[in-house]
Amino acid sequence: MMSDLDNTQCNILIVDDVSKNIQLLGSILRQEGYSLSFATSGKQALDMVVSDTFDLILLDVMMPEMDGFEVCKRLKQQPDIRDIPVIFLTVKAEAESVVNGFELGAVDYVTKPFKVKELLARVKAHLTIIQQRRQLEQLNASKDTFLSMIAHDLRSPFSALQHLIHLTAEQITASGHTTLEQTMKLIETSTDNLHALLENLLTWSRIQRGVMEYHPHTMDVHVIVTRNVELLASNAEQKQMSLKNMVAEQLLVSADMDMIDAVVRNLISNALKFTEAGGSIEVTATHDERHVTVSVSDTGIGIAEEHLSKLFRIDAKYKRLGTAREKGTGLGLILCKEFVEQHGGTIRVESEVGKGTTFSFTLPKVLGK
């Protein structure tokens, strides 16, 4: 989704050799909240665009030593800065001058003396265009990273499954029933991992296409945590660890049951995966007047601080095996973030290597409860 233009994040360079023109333009644009820089010559402008980052250049045509046309020409010859949009400011409105400016790469013309509303409209239009282009580039980069990650993640379980099927066929022929039972367990685990990956992929795809249904209703946090603790109790027993639901009853929130069920299940599953045998996991909840904060805390191996910012990003891959060499899909926490934000909430993580990790997320509280 494209975000609205934030004027305070837009850096505009005004280039004009007449100080009064700079003062007038600066006064008008500063009232709109834009961040401004100024150059009084073409050479100064060219030096500034190399050392600083600009979203738009308002460029006077009639300047001594180097006119605006020459400045624009040199700007467009440099790959790193050629995409900065240039709007010419000039008293020359003849068709030949206008055409010359566009041929050099300018995106627009504003004639002097300019009309304030027209100037602001043109500035906003071109800043919006360049912002949307940058957002699309970021989305494409995320998409490419995501597809690469999925291709890599699919290749591994498919190869393992293929190998296990061939091995099973050989063992059936040899009638090695004990070994066959062990192999079937591996096949089961491999297919479960593959199924989880595909389910997460399909869910992520539905979210990105805006077709993920969202049906919030009043639900008790204690109930949904209890269901997931009971579901994963056998996993905890296998790893000889304590899994406790410490959430009070009748703590009501407005939420989509399926989404929050998936969030709680993912967070508890992660805690189980990265906690050593004999460790403990607790699910707790606190609340204020408007929000309920649910936390899943473990005494596990923890996460290094430099990796924490990567956990919820599709463009920053961070994956590792669990304490029993369990594999993940790489999408679980990303989906958790999507689901929580769908509710207007936030999700965060605190961790210390060797001591444990706590994931916390907020949900809208049912007022009066």
Side-chain angles (χ1 to χ4, degrees):
M1 182 181 295
M2 298 296 179
S3 59
D4 295 332
L5 184 67
D6 181 358
N7 290 0
T8 62
Q9 299 298 315
C10 299
N11 196 11
I12 300 174
L13 174 62
I14 300 173
V15 187
D16 199 312
D17 64 313
V18 179
S19 59
K20 288 184 179 180
N21 291 339
I22 287 181
Q23 291 172 3
L24 178 59
L25 273 171
S27 176
I28 294 170
L29 295 173
R30 193 173 284 112
Q31 290 181 18
E32 300 299 314
Y34 295 115
S35 176
L36 306 177
S37 297
F38 308 97
T40 55
S41 70
K43 183 180 183 306
Q44 184 183 12
L46 291 173
D47 290 339
M48 291 177 68
V49 294
V50 172
S51 59
D52 204 347
T53 301
F54 297 100
D55 301 295
L56 179 68
I57 299 174
L58 299 179
L59 180 58
D60 182 36
V61 172
M62 301 299 292
M63 293 186 296
E65 298 181 10
M66 186 187 303
D67 65 17
F69 291 144
E70 180 63 23
V71 175
C72 186
K73 179 180 177 181
R74 296 191 185 189
L75 282 171
K76 299 305 176 182
Q77 289 174 343
Q78 301 184 54
D80 293 341
I81 56 178
R82 65 187 305 170
D83 291 331
I84 305 173
V86 174
I87 297 179
F88 277 127
L89 304 174
T90 181
V91 295
K92 298 180 66 176
E94 297 88 352
E96 183 178 349
S97 295
V98 172
V99 171
N100 185 29
F102 284 133
E103 288 179 345
L104 289 170
V107 297
D108 212 342
Y109 252 91
V110 177
T111 56
K112 298 177 183 180
F114 45 76
K115 299 176 182 178
V116 174
K117 288 186 178 180
E118 177 188 359
L119 171 68
L120 292 177
R122 292 176 185 271
V123 166
K124 183 175 181 178
H126 291 293
L127 286 172
T128 300
I129 290 170
I130 195 168
Q131 181 195 50
Q132 291 177 342
R133 186 183 70 193
R134 288 171 179 170
Q135 289 175 340
L136 286 172
E137 289 172 350
Q138 291 175 353
L139 287 172
N140 281 331
S142 295
K143 178 201 68 177
D144 292 342
T145 301
F146 174 72
L147 291 176
S148 175
M149 181 181 73
I150 290 300
H152 178 272
D153 286 350
L154 283 173
R155 183 185 297 116
S156 179
F158 267 124
S159 298
L161 188 59
Q162 186 179 41
H163 171 72
L164 289 170
I165 290 173
H166 290 162
L167 186 61
T168 303
E170 293 174 359
Q171 290 171 354
I172 289 174
T173 302
S175 298
H177 296 299
T178 301
T179 307
L180 178 60
E181 183 178 351
Q182 294 173 347
T183 305
M184 290 304 296
K185 286 287 186 182
L186 292 174
I187 291 176
E188 183 179 28
T189 301
S190 182
T191 52
D192 286 346
N193 289 338
L194 187 56
H195 179 264
L197 174 60
L198 292 175
E199 284 295 322
N200 283 343
L201 172 58
L202 290 172
T203 301
W204 187 88
S205 175
R206 289 198 298 272
I207 293 171
Q208 301 309 307
R209 290 183 287 116
V211 297
M212 185 75 181
E213 295 184 356
Y214 170 59
H215 300 298
H217 64 274
T218 299
M219 54 174 264
D220 186 346
V221 178
H222 175 83
V223 172
I224 199 164
V225 171
T226 297
R227 181 165 65 246
N228 282 281
V229 166
E230 291 176 350
L231 177 67
L232 296 168
S234 61
N235 300 61
E237 289 175 4
Q238 288 177 7
K239 294 189 74 171
Q240 299 177 337
M241 63 180 65
S242 169
L243 174 56
K244 295 181 180 180
N245 176 10
M246 308 296 288
V247 178
E249 295 183 12
Q250 292 300 307
L251 189 54
L252 304 183
V253 295
S254 176
D256 182 292
M257 179 69 75
D258 292 335
M259 290 186 180
I260 300 309
D261 191 59
V263 172
V264 173
R265 186 170 60 253
N266 263 289
L267 295 182
I268 295 177
S269 295
N270 274 354
L272 289 167
K273 189 182 302 180
F274 297 108
T275 301
E276 298 280 5
S280 63
I281 299 165
E282 289 188 352
V283 185
T284 59
T286 58
H287 62 96
D288 55 28
E289 292 183 357
R290 293 185 174 275
H291 300 97
V292 171
T293 301
V294 182
S295 300
V296 178
S297 302
D298 63 57
T299 58
I301 58 179
I303 306 165
E305 185 176 357
E306 63 266 26
H307 296 310
L308 294 179
S309 62
K310 304 175 184 177
L311 297 178
F312 303 106
R313 291 173 51 193
I314 193 68
D315 61 338
K317 187 174 181 180
Y318 173 69
K319 291 175 63 178
R320 60 177 177 170
L321 296 177
T323 55
R325 303 196 63 78
E326 305 99 323
K327 292 183 179 180
T329 68
L331 282 175
L333 289 177
I334 295 169
L335 290 177
C336 287
K337 182 175 184 291
E338 297 272 6
F339 287 154
V340 171
E341 290 181 348
Q342 180 76 54
H343 290 75
T346 59
I347 186 168
R348 66 181 188 276
V349 57
E350 297 176 352
S351 188
E352 186 174 349
V353 175
K355 293 190 175 181
T357 301
T358 297
F359 282 92
S360 302
F361 64 93
T362 61
L363 293 171
K365 183 181 178 184
V366 175
L367 299 182
K369 302 294 183 181

PDB file of all heavy atoms in Angstrom, residues 198-215:
ATOM      1  N   LEU A 198       4.148 -24.283   2.639  1.00  0.00           N
ATOM      2  CA  LEU A 198       3.168 -23.943   1.607  1.00  0.00           C
ATOM      3  C   LEU A 198       1.972 -23.197   2.193  1.00  0.00           C
ATOM      4  O   LEU A 198       1.460 -22.252   1.581  1.00  0.00           O
ATOM      5  CB  LEU A 198       2.708 -25.217   0.897  1.00  0.00           C
ATOM      6  CG  LEU A 198       3.766 -25.911   0.037  1.00  0.00           C
ATOM      7  CD1 LEU A 198       3.227 -27.220  -0.523  1.00  0.00           C
ATOM      8  CD2 LEU A 198       4.232 -25.011  -1.104  1.00  0.00           C
ATOM      9  N   GLU A 199       1.530 -23.598   3.388  1.00  0.00           N
ATOM     10  CA  GLU A 199       0.414 -22.897   4.031  1.00  0.00           C
ATOM     11  C   GLU A 199       0.796 -21.452   4.343  1.00  0.00           C
ATOM     12  O   GLU A 199       0.012 -20.522   4.112  1.00  0.00           O
ATOM     13  CB  GLU A 199       0.011 -23.625   5.322  1.00  0.00           C
ATOM     14  CG  GLU A 199      -0.789 -24.894   5.102  1.00  0.00           C
ATOM     15  CD  GLU A 199      -2.144 -24.603   4.480  1.00  0.00           C
ATOM     16  OE1 GLU A 199      -2.771 -23.583   4.839  1.00  0.00           O
ATOM     17  OE2 GLU A 199      -2.565 -25.380   3.604  1.00  0.00           O
ATOM     18  N   ASN A 200       2.006 -21.255   4.874  1.00  0.00           N
ATOM     19  CA  ASN A 200       2.470 -19.892   5.164  1.00  0.00           C
ATOM     20  C   ASN A 200       2.619 -19.078   3.895  1.00  0.00           C
ATOM     21  O   ASN A 200       2.308 -17.884   3.865  1.00  0.00           O
ATOM     22  CB  ASN A 200       3.794 -19.934   5.923  1.00  0.00           C
ATOM     23  CG  ASN A 200       3.616 -20.285   7.381  1.00  0.00           C
ATOM     24  OD1 ASN A 200       2.518 -20.204   7.911  1.00  0.00           O
ATOM     25  ND2 ASN A 200       4.692 -20.684   8.038  1.00  0.00           N
ATOM     26  N   LEU A 201       3.107 -19.705   2.843  1.00  0.00           N
ATOM     27  CA  LEU A 201       3.248 -19.021   1.565  1.00  0.00           C
ATOM     28  C   LEU A 201       1.891 -18.561   1.031  1.00  0.00           C
ATOM     29  O   LEU A 201       1.733 -17.420   0.587  1.00  0.00           O
ATOM     30  CB  LEU A 201       3.925 -19.955   0.552  1.00  0.00           C
ATOM     31  CG  LEU A 201       3.997 -19.467  -0.902  1.00  0.00           C
ATOM     32  CD1 LEU A 201       4.736 -18.140  -0.979  1.00  0.00           C
ATOM     33  CD2 LEU A 201       4.673 -20.507  -1.776  1.00  0.00           C
ATOM     34  N   LEU A 202       0.916 -19.432   1.084  1.00  0.00           N
ATOM     35  CA  LEU A 202      -0.413 -19.086   0.589  1.00  0.00           C
ATOM     36  C   LEU A 202      -1.053 -17.990   1.439  1.00  0.00           C
ATOM     37  O   LEU A 202      -1.700 -17.079   0.915  1.00  0.00           O
ATOM     38  CB  LEU A 202      -1.306 -20.335   0.571  1.00  0.00           C
ATOM     39  CG  LEU A 202      -0.940 -21.390  -0.482  1.00  0.00           C
ATOM     40  CD1 LEU A 202      -1.763 -22.657  -0.261  1.00  0.00           C
ATOM     41  CD2 LEU A 202      -1.168 -20.860  -1.889  1.00  0.00           C
ATOM     42  N   THR A 203      -0.846 -18.073   2.752  1.00  0.00           N
ATOM     43  CA  THR A 203      -1.390 -17.041   3.637  1.00  0.00           C
ATOM     44  C   THR A 203      -0.747 -15.690   3.354  1.00  0.00           C
ATOM     45  O   THR A 203      -1.431 -14.667   3.250  1.00  0.00           O
ATOM     46  CB  THR A 203      -1.151 -17.418   5.109  1.00  0.00           C
ATOM     47  OG1 THR A 203      -1.787 -18.673   5.376  1.00  0.00           O
ATOM     48  CG2 THR A 203      -1.726 -16.365   6.045  1.00  0.00           C
ATOM     49  N   TRP A 204       0.576 -15.676   3.230  1.00  0.00           N
ATOM     50  CA  TRP A 204       1.294 -14.428   2.921  1.00  0.00           C
ATOM     51  C   TRP A 204       0.814 -13.854   1.590  1.00  0.00           C
ATOM     52  O   TRP A 204       0.605 -12.640   1.461  1.00  0.00           O
ATOM     53  CB  TRP A 204       2.791 -14.702   2.873  1.00  0.00           C
ATOM     54  CG  TRP A 204       3.631 -13.465   2.737  1.00  0.00           C
ATOM     55  CD1 TRP A 204       4.113 -12.679   3.738  1.00  0.00           C
ATOM     56  CD2 TRP A 204       4.086 -12.871   1.514  1.00  0.00           C
ATOM     57  NE1 TRP A 204       4.843 -11.635   3.219  1.00  0.00           N
ATOM     58  CE2 TRP A 204       4.841 -11.729   1.857  1.00  0.00           C
ATOM     59  CE3 TRP A 204       3.929 -13.188   0.172  1.00  0.00           C
ATOM     60  CZ2 TRP A 204       5.436 -10.925   0.905  1.00  0.00           C
ATOM     61  CZ3 TRP A 204       4.531 -12.381  -0.780  1.00  0.00           C
ATOM     62  CH2 TRP A 204       5.267 -11.260  -0.409  1.00  0.00           C
ATOM     63  N   SER A 205       0.606 -14.714   0.599  1.00  0.00           N
ATOM     64  CA  SER A 205       0.142 -14.271  -0.707  1.00  0.00           C
ATOM     65  C   SER A 205      -1.236 -13.631  -0.607  1.00  0.00           C
ATOM     66  O   SER A 205      -1.495 -12.585  -1.218  1.00  0.00           O
ATOM     67  CB  SER A 205       0.100 -15.458  -1.676  1.00  0.00           C
ATOM     68  OG  SER A 205      -0.445 -15.076  -2.913  1.00  0.00           O
ATOM     69  N   ARG A 206      -2.140 -14.220   0.172  1.00  0.00           N
ATOM     70  CA  ARG A 206      -3.481 -13.655   0.326  1.00  0.00           C
ATOM     71  C   ARG A 206      -3.430 -12.286   1.000  1.00  0.00           C
ATOM     72  O   ARG A 206      -4.174 -11.371   0.634  1.00  0.00           O
ATOM     73  CB  ARG A 206      -4.366 -14.602   1.146  1.00  0.00           C
ATOM     74  CG  ARG A 206      -4.751 -15.872   0.411  1.00  0.00           C
ATOM     75  CD  ARG A 206      -5.957 -16.543   1.060  1.00  0.00           C
ATOM     76  NE  ARG A 206      -5.693 -16.948   2.429  1.00  0.00           N
ATOM     77  CZ  ARG A 206      -5.173 -18.120   2.775  1.00  0.00           C
ATOM     78  NH1 ARG A 206      -4.844 -19.006   1.843  1.00  0.00           N
ATOM     79  NH2 ARG A 206      -4.976 -18.416   4.045  1.00  0.00           N
ATOM     80  N   ILE A 207      -2.530 -12.140   1.975  1.00  0.00           N
ATOM     81  CA  ILE A 207      -2.379 -10.850   2.652  1.00  0.00           C
ATOM     82  C   ILE A 207      -1.908  -9.789   1.667  1.00  0.00           C
ATOM     83  O   ILE A 207      -2.446  -8.678   1.603  1.00  0.00           O
ATOM     84  CB  ILE A 207      -1.392 -10.963   3.830  1.00  0.00           C
ATOM     85  CG1 ILE A 207      -1.978 -11.851   4.931  1.00  0.00           C
ATOM     86  CG2 ILE A 207      -1.062  -9.578   4.390  1.00  0.00           C
ATOM     87  CD1 ILE A 207      -0.994 -12.181   6.021  1.00  0.00           C
ATOM     88  N   GLN A 208      -0.883 -10.116   0.868  1.00  0.00           N
ATOM     89  CA  GLN A 208      -0.326  -9.146  -0.071  1.00  0.00           C
ATOM     90  C   GLN A 208      -1.330  -8.743  -1.143  1.00  0.00           C
ATOM     91  O   GLN A 208      -1.311  -7.622  -1.650  1.00  0.00           O
ATOM     92  CB  GLN A 208       0.948  -9.709  -0.727  1.00  0.00           C
ATOM     93  CG  GLN A 208       2.048 -10.078   0.244  1.00  0.00           C
ATOM     94  CD  GLN A 208       2.368  -8.964   1.210  1.00  0.00           C
ATOM     95  OE1 GLN A 208       2.641  -7.834   0.799  1.00  0.00           O
ATOM     96  NE2 GLN A 208       2.322  -9.252   2.507  1.00  0.00           N
ATOM     97  N   ARG A 209      -2.213  -9.659  -1.513  1.00  0.00           N
ATOM     98  CA  ARG A 209      -3.221  -9.356  -2.542  1.00  0.00           C
ATOM     99  C   ARG A 209      -4.464  -8.710  -1.960  1.00  0.00           C
ATOM    100  O   ARG A 209      -5.389  -8.358  -2.693  1.00  0.00           O
ATOM    101  CB  ARG A 209      -3.598 -10.638  -3.293  1.00  0.00           C
ATOM    102  CG  ARG A 209      -2.496 -11.166  -4.195  1.00  0.00           C
ATOM    103  CD  ARG A 209      -2.920 -12.397  -4.975  1.00  0.00           C
ATOM    104  NE  ARG A 209      -3.017 -13.574  -4.138  1.00  0.00           N
ATOM    105  CZ  ARG A 209      -4.133 -14.245  -3.892  1.00  0.00           C
ATOM    106  NH1 ARG A 209      -5.271 -13.850  -4.419  1.00  0.00           N
ATOM    107  NH2 ARG A 209      -4.120 -15.325  -3.124  1.00  0.00           N
ATOM    108  N   GLY A 210      -4.484  -8.533  -0.631  1.00  0.00           N
ATOM    109  CA  GLY A 210      -5.609  -7.872  -0.002  1.00  0.00           C
ATOM    110  C   GLY A 210      -6.877  -8.697   0.042  1.00  0.00           C
ATOM    111  O   GLY A 210      -7.976  -8.147   0.145  1.00  0.00           O
ATOM    112  N   VAL A 211      -6.755 -10.028  -0.049  1.00  0.00           N
ATOM    113  CA  VAL A 211      -7.948 -10.877  -0.055  1.00  0.00           C
ATOM    114  C   VAL A 211      -8.035 -11.736   1.212  1.00  0.00           C
ATOM    115  O   VAL A 211      -8.867 -12.626   1.290  1.00  0.00           O
ATOM    116  CB  VAL A 211      -7.979 -11.790  -1.308  1.00  0.00           C
ATOM    117  CG1 VAL A 211      -8.062 -10.957  -2.562  1.00  0.00           C
ATOM    118  CG2 VAL A 211      -6.744 -12.706  -1.357  1.00  0.00           C
ATOM    119  N   MET A 212      -7.192 -11.437   2.185  1.00  0.00           N
ATOM    120  CA  MET A 212      -7.250 -12.160   3.456  1.00  0.00           C
ATOM    121  C   MET A 212      -8.429 -11.619   4.260  1.00  0.00           C
ATOM    122  O   MET A 212      -8.489 -10.435   4.588  1.00  0.00           O
ATOM    123  CB  MET A 212      -5.951 -11.956   4.245  1.00  0.00           C
ATOM    124  CG  MET A 212      -5.872 -12.764   5.521  1.00  0.00           C
ATOM    125  SD  MET A 212      -5.552 -14.493   5.188  1.00  0.00           S
ATOM    126  CE  MET A 212      -5.539 -15.144   6.864  1.00  0.00           C
ATOM    127  N   GLU A 213      -9.397 -12.470   4.546  1.00  0.00           N
ATOM    128  CA  GLU A 213     -10.582 -12.036   5.273  1.00  0.00           C
ATOM    129  C   GLU A 213     -10.247 -11.754   6.731  1.00  0.00           C
ATOM    130  O   GLU A 213      -9.499 -12.487   7.367  1.00  0.00           O
ATOM    131  CB  GLU A 213     -11.677 -13.094   5.174  1.00  0.00           C
ATOM    132  CG  GLU A 213     -12.200 -13.295   3.748  1.00  0.00           C
ATOM    133  CD  GLU A 213     -13.342 -14.275   3.703  1.00  0.00           C
ATOM    134  OE1 GLU A 213     -13.672 -14.847   4.763  1.00  0.00           O
ATOM    135  OE2 GLU A 213     -13.922 -14.459   2.616  1.00  0.00           O
ATOM    136  N   TYR A 214     -10.819 -10.670   7.241  1.00  0.00           N
ATOM    137  CA  TYR A 214     -10.561 -10.237   8.608  1.00  0.00           C
ATOM    138  C   TYR A 214     -11.901 -10.064   9.311  1.00  0.00           C
ATOM    139  O   TYR A 214     -12.691  -9.190   8.949  1.00  0.00           O
ATOM    140  CB  TYR A 214      -9.765  -8.929   8.580  1.00  0.00           C
ATOM    141  CG  TYR A 214      -9.616  -8.233   9.913  1.00  0.00           C
ATOM    142  CD1 TYR A 214      -9.005  -8.867  10.983  1.00  0.00           C
ATOM    143  CD2 TYR A 214     -10.074  -6.926  10.086  1.00  0.00           C
ATOM    144  CE1 TYR A 214      -8.857  -8.225  12.205  1.00  0.00           C
ATOM    145  CE2 TYR A 214      -9.924  -6.270  11.300  1.00  0.00           C
ATOM    146  CZ  TYR A 214      -9.326  -6.922  12.351  1.00  0.00           C
ATOM    147  OH  TYR A 214      -9.175  -6.290  13.564  1.00  0.00           O
ATOM    148  N   HIS A 215     -12.187 -10.932  10.301  1.00  0.00           N
ATOM    149  CA  HIS A 215     -13.477 -10.919  10.982  1.00  0.00           C
ATOM    150  C   HIS A 215     -13.269 -10.839  12.493  1.00  0.00           C
ATOM    151  O   HIS A 215     -13.248 -11.856  13.190  1.00  0.00           O
ATOM    152  CB  HIS A 215     -14.280 -12.175  10.636  1.00  0.00           C
ATOM    153  CG  HIS A 215     -14.574 -12.321   9.178  1.00  0.00           C
ATOM    154  ND1 HIS A 215     -15.322 -11.400   8.465  1.00  0.00           N
ATOM    155  CD2 HIS A 215     -14.217 -13.276   8.287  1.00  0.00           C
ATOM    156  CE1 HIS A 215     -15.425 -11.779   7.210  1.00  0.00           C
ATOM    157  NE2 HIS A 215     -14.751 -12.921   7.073  1.00  0.00           N
TER     158      HIS A 215
END
